[in-house]
Amino acid sequence: MGEERLFMEDSLKNQAYREIRQKILTCEYPPGTVLNEAFLCEALSISRTPVRDALSRLEHDHLLQIISKKGIVIESITLSDIGNYFEVLLRLVQTAVQDSGKNV
């Protein structure tokens, strides 16, 4: 029962992370939007602990900023950020192609 609860809690953390991240990336929560934990918990139908974990991860990813006594602010994405993302993506694809060529 203990392992099952840990798995369920972990999957809720991942679910909260994926759903909030998706809403940020699709601009359902546009840059500058101020949110709070209670709203997110209700919107996702997930308890506070998994939402807090997801918010911490998203802050680490620089997608939002948690500001004490103000709330959660969705960060802006600059053209430089987009360029960096595409550069990383290009390198990952190049590496994947090179590695798959070795296996042929």
Side-chain angles (χ1 to χ4, degrees), residues 24-80:
I24 292 170
L25 295 177
T26 60
C27 288
E28 189 172 329
Y29 300 151
T33 300
V34 179
L35 303 170
N36 63 51
E37 285 181 8
F39 168 80
L40 291 170
C41 291
E42 186 175 326
L44 302 173
S45 300
I46 297 177
S47 66
R48 188 166 245 135
T49 300
V51 169
R52 282 184 178 169
D53 182 78
L55 292 172
S56 178
R57 289 172 60 190
L58 290 162
E59 185 174 40
H60 184 264
D61 293 347
H62 304 286
L63 291 174
L64 56 81
Q65 184 179 16
I66 301 169
I67 302 173
S68 181
K69 299 187 183 188
K70 182 173 182 185
I72 299 126
V73 180
I74 306 303
E75 293 282 7
S76 295
I77 298 174
T78 66
L79 287 176
S80 176

Side-chain angles (χ1 to χ4, degrees), residues 85-96:
Y85 294 140
F86 278 107
E87 185 177 331
V88 169
L89 179 61
L90 176 63
R91 290 178 190 221
L92 288 171
V93 169
Q94 288 172 336
T95 301

Side-chain angles (χ1 to χ4, degrees), residues 9-32:
E9 187 174 311
D10 181 55
S11 64
L12 287 175
K13 289 177 183 179
N14 288 329
Q15 177 186 344
Y17 173 81
R18 285 190 310 273
E19 288 186 32
I20 297 168
R21 182 177 183 275
Q22 183 65 25
K23 290 177 186 289
I24 292 170
L25 295 177
T26 60
C27 288
E28 189 172 329
Y29 300 151

